[in-house]
Amino acid sequence: MADTQTSTIGRYLAARLEQIGVKHYFTVPGDYNLVLLDELLSNDNLQMISCCNELNAGYAADGYARATGGAGAVCVTFSVGGLSAINAVAGAYAEDLPVIAISGGPNTNSAAEHELLHHTLGEIDYGYVREMFARVTAESVQVTNVLDAPTQIDHAISTALRLRKPVYLEVASNIASAPISKPHAMALAPRWRSDRRSLAAAVDHAAALLNAAAKPVLVAGVQLRATGGEAAFGALARACGYGVAAMPDAKGFFDETDPQYMGIFWGSVGSPGCGQIVSSADIGLFAGTTFTDYTTVGHSALINPAKMILARPHSVVMPGRTYNDVSLPEFLAALEGKLQPNDASLTAFHRVEEEKPVLAPGKPEDGLTTRILFNRVQQMLDADSAVIAETGDSWFNGMQLDMPQGSRFEIQMQYGSIGWSVGATLGYALGNPDRRVVSLIGDGSFQLTAQEVSTMIRYGVRPIIFLINNGGYTIEVEIHDGPYNTIKNWDYAGLISVFNAADGKGLGLKAETVGELDAAIGKASGHDGPVLIEVTIGRDDCSRNLLEWGGYVARNNSRPPRSI
Ligand code: TPU
Ligand code: MG
């Protein structure tokens, strides 16, 4: 039988990326991936986004995966590119984002012929990049053989989607355009199915505990998104009527305008009243929550396991028993019909709930404070907004925002790698052009990845970046201060004209007063291109919650060794 269905390894990979909903990939070229890029370029349904460096390209793929709910892709050259991207890929691993990290690789003859190669460690060992990626991906493969390529590509992409983790695919430079058959139709994202008996038993056990409780609560966790469980969580909440809280890294996963919403469960820095209700509940269903030093305020806000049903992505841990092979969305959906409505925790919350203080609008000539800034950010938000909050005081101020129904809030709280938000803003804006991205970025974080604003200008995306110039690493000041927490000041707004050069449409604005901020926001909203508003904030102006949280985290960090 004649086979006219021919493709190449690179085109096969492009077709699979297209099939899983990837429309853009982020790249920096190099001689090991040039032929591969030519092959990817032959697919008209994928757009190449050329980045300034591989770290930022990786962060962009992370932001893209967040925006689309699917995968992101990055394509780099061997070793010098891959090792620059690895930190971003590790972040995607920590945050459960399926980033397909593609790298060109050495010619397949080089190792056998004992050839030393550029960009490498100067030793005849070309497996080390894959080995390094193995620690930060769910699967890492070197494609060096035409016959194995389709299986390796499909397997890696399926793994990424099933486990919501990044994978590393290295394609040898001399086979990227080698002919192979076209991809056949198959589902690349098989859903995780529960073991029927485990699921039924877990649901019965959980329903018995929850129905017997006086004041049960529901808590949304970060893994709800990776498992596709947000809708099932919302439906379950409405069916049972319990008070609902969200962990800080799951902010916005449950509609914040819903009358059942109590706020952020984040120990002493969470929403007023919310922590007390969650901690005093006789049982809580924690759906996809993770408890780290950051999310528990230095492990000061811990829930007694005897009062917790912890629904993990693929298992449910209950007092006295763990049920394995239970998918989180299936568990929540099956529980929905089994719970008796109970609004006792919500009623208790309303008794202790505090009204948010109303902030005076400020006079135009007043200097800026973070309170005024975030008051104005709040006013800008609507259903189409996506807020990206960088590590720093932006976490704590961002957490105070009331997210309108339909809007999204993005935070990299597990990994917390400063500079993430600049690349993620680019990726998010491309991944979901219907949303206006509002990014909240500290000066220190911005200095790591600033040049990617030029890529935003190049591709005409329209985020509004608030660059918070407080002269240093304030979050670090609150955890542990020293001379290392002061940074060199930049003309951040002026940087935009550097990036614009002759043809760019970026807008850089500076605001030192309330009036200037309001005028800048007015200009920004109508501008057709990225806008950076540099906001001058006093070095000591930081949120009370950062002060408190910093104290707890510092205490946890500095515990002496139990034995030396
Ligand atoms: O609001 P503010 O001033 O705290 O934010 P800014 O200016 O962005 O400063 C962030 C300070 C910071 C550092 C230096 N937060 N975490 N770190 C430690 C750190 C160092 N390098 C990476 C890649 N990630 C980190 N989190
Ligand atoms: Mg700062």
Side-chain angles (χ1 to χ4, degrees):
M1 191 177 70
D3 181 14
T4 53
Q5 298 280 298
T6 53
S7 181
T8 66
I9 291 180
R11 286 171 198 229
Y12 187 103
L13 177 54
R16 287 307 196 200
L17 291 176
E18 180 190 347
Q19 181 189 332
I20 63 169
V22 169
K23 295 193 174 71
H24 306 81
Y25 54 94
F26 302 92
T27 188
V28 179
D31 55 1
Y32 291 104
N33 73 349
L34 295 178
V35 175
L36 181 58
L37 286 174
D38 289 340
E39 296 299 304
L40 296 183
L41 278 168
S42 72
N43 185 320
D44 292 336
N45 299 320
L46 297 183
Q47 191 186 352
M48 180 171 82
I49 304 295
S50 301
C51 292
C52 300
N53 69 45
E54 291 86 354
L55 174 65
N56 297 351
Y59 287 146
D62 163 321
Y64 195 85
R66 288 171 189 265
T68 60
V74 55
C75 183
V76 299
T77 195
F78 185 62
S79 186
V80 288
L83 298 192
S84 290
I86 203 166
N87 188 34
V89 174
Y93 189 98
E95 303 275 327
D96 292 330
L97 296 164
V99 165
I100 317 293
I102 304 158
S103 175
N107 183 299
T108 50
N109 303 304
S110 294
E113 291 173 13
H114 228 71
E115 276 180 357
L116 278 182
L117 295 174
H118 66 286
H119 292 347
T120 73
L121 303 178
E123 294 165 4
I124 312 289
D125 166 11
Y126 302 130
Y128 68 94
V129 180
R130 187 203 68 74
E131 284 169 22
M132 289 180 178
F133 270 95
R135 292 300 304 268
V136 298
T137 56
E139 189 165 311
S140 63
V141 286
Q142 287 175 297
V143 180
T144 53
N145 177 306
V146 175
L147 284 181
D148 292 336
T151 310
Q152 288 178 308
I153 292 170
D154 287 357
H155 197 271
I157 292 178
S158 283
T159 301
L161 294 176
R162 190 165 41 87
L163 301 181
R164 312 301 294 181
K165 296 285 185 194
V167 292
Y168 177 72
L169 262 174
E170 185 182 300
V171 181
S173 59
N174 59 333
I175 62 168
S177 60
I180 57 171
S181 61
K182 278 192 174 161
H184 58 88
M186 72 176 265
L188 281 166
R191 287 210 22 191
W192 193 288
R193 309 298 304 215
S194 308
D195 177 274
R196 296 289 112 192
R197 282 185 305 174
S198 294
L199 175 64
V203 167
D204 285 348
H205 190 166
L209 289 174
L210 291 162
N211 287 334
K215 282 194 301 177
V217 291
L218 266 179
V219 182
V222 65
Q223 291 166 331
L224 275 177
R225 167 154 74 187
T227 52
E230 285 176 70
F233 181 87
L236 174 65
R238 275 174 276 277
C240 68
Y242 301 175
V244 181
M247 296 293 288
D249 48 357
K251 180 175 171 64
F253 287 11
F254 181 74
D255 178 4
E256 294 198 347
T257 66
D258 191 293
Q260 280 171 253
Y261 181 63
M262 301 189 294
I264 302 293
F265 175 60
W266 198 10
S268 55
V269 300
S271 308
C274 177
Q276 288 85 336
I277 299 303
V278 173
S279 309
S280 65
D282 39 358
I283 191 110
L285 170 52
F286 289 75
T289 53
T290 60
F291 302 109
T292 72
D293 55 344
Y294 277 12
T295 63
T296 63
V297 194
H299 294 292
S300 69
L302 293 177
I303 296 287
N304 179 353
K307 293 161 60 173
M308 169 156 48
I309 299 170
L310 177 60
R312 292 176 164 157
H314 309 125
S315 61
V316 186
V317 181
M318 280 188 248
R321 174 157 276 178
T322 295
Y323 298 87
N324 290 317
D325 211 355
V326 179
S327 115
L328 177 55
E330 288 186 343
F331 173 70
L332 298 174
L335 203 51
E336 192 188 324
K338 303 248 175 174
L339 296 188
Q340 289 145 18
N342 182 344
D343 63 2
S345 59
L346 194 57
T347 308
F349 172 70
H350 288 316
R351 276 198 290 268
V352 297
E353 188 183 11
E354 291 170 21
E355 281 291 313
K356 268 202 172 178
V358 180
L359 191 68
K363 293 196 279 299
E365 64 278 15
D366 288 350
L368 280 174
T369 60
T370 47
R371 282 184 176 208
I372 287 282
L373 169 62
F374 279 79
N375 167 276
R376 299 306 197 268
V377 171
Q378 178 73 66
Q379 290 170 14
M380 290 170 66
L381 301 182
D382 61 22
D384 297 328
S385 305
V387 171
I388 296 185
E390 177 65 90
T391 301
D393 202 19
S394 294
W395 275 2
F396 300 87
N397 293 309
M399 214 48 74
Q400 303 293 325
L401 295 168
D402 296 320
M403 298 308 294
Q405 191 173 40
S407 62
R408 299 297 307 192
F409 184 87
E410 299 295 343
I411 188 164
Q412 199 203 35
M413 192 171 260
Q414 174 61 46
Y415 201 58
S417 184
I418 59 172
W420 157 80
S421 65
V422 185
T425 296
L426 167 70
Y428 203 105
L430 284 162
N432 192 340
D434 296 335
R435 286 196 187 278
R436 190 94 198 239
V437 179
V438 177
S439 299
L440 313 166
I441 311 182
D443 46 0
S445 300
F446 186 74
Q447 290 196 357
L448 276 86
T449 49
Q451 66 273 63
E452 227 49 48
V453 174
S454 88
T455 312
M456 299 177 203
I457 294 172
R458 177 171 179 179
Y459 294 99
V461 292
R462 301 172 54 239
I464 300 178
I465 296 172
F466 287 95
L467 186 293
I468 299 144
N469 185 346
N470 58 9
Y473 300 142
T474 296
I475 189 170
E476 297 276 302
V477 171
E478 304 317 331
I479 295 176
H480 184 116
D481 201 9
Y484 31 77
N485 289 329
T486 300
I487 61 175
K488 168 77 181 77
N489 194 30
W490 287 6
D491 177 5
Y492 298 96
L495 208 50
I496 304 304
S497 47
V498 174
F499 293 147
N500 276 339
D503 56 343
K505 292 215 184 83
L507 181 63
L509 302 166
K510 226 175 225 174
E512 290 186 10
T513 64
V514 174
E516 285 167 7
L517 177 65
D518 288 337
I521 291 173
K523 272 194 198 164
S525 19
H527 185 73
D528 188 22
V531 184
L532 182 146
I533 304 177
E534 177 184 346
V535 184
T536 311
I537 297 286
R539 190 167 154 75
D540 300 322
D541 174 358
C542 80
S543 59
R544 203 164 50 90
N545 284 344
L546 168 55
L547 289 176
E548 163 118 11
W549 177 91
Y552 277 104
V553 169
R555 224 168 298 160
N556 193 60
N557 271 351
S558 60
R559 280 167 303 162
R562 291 222 175 139
S563 59
I564 301 177

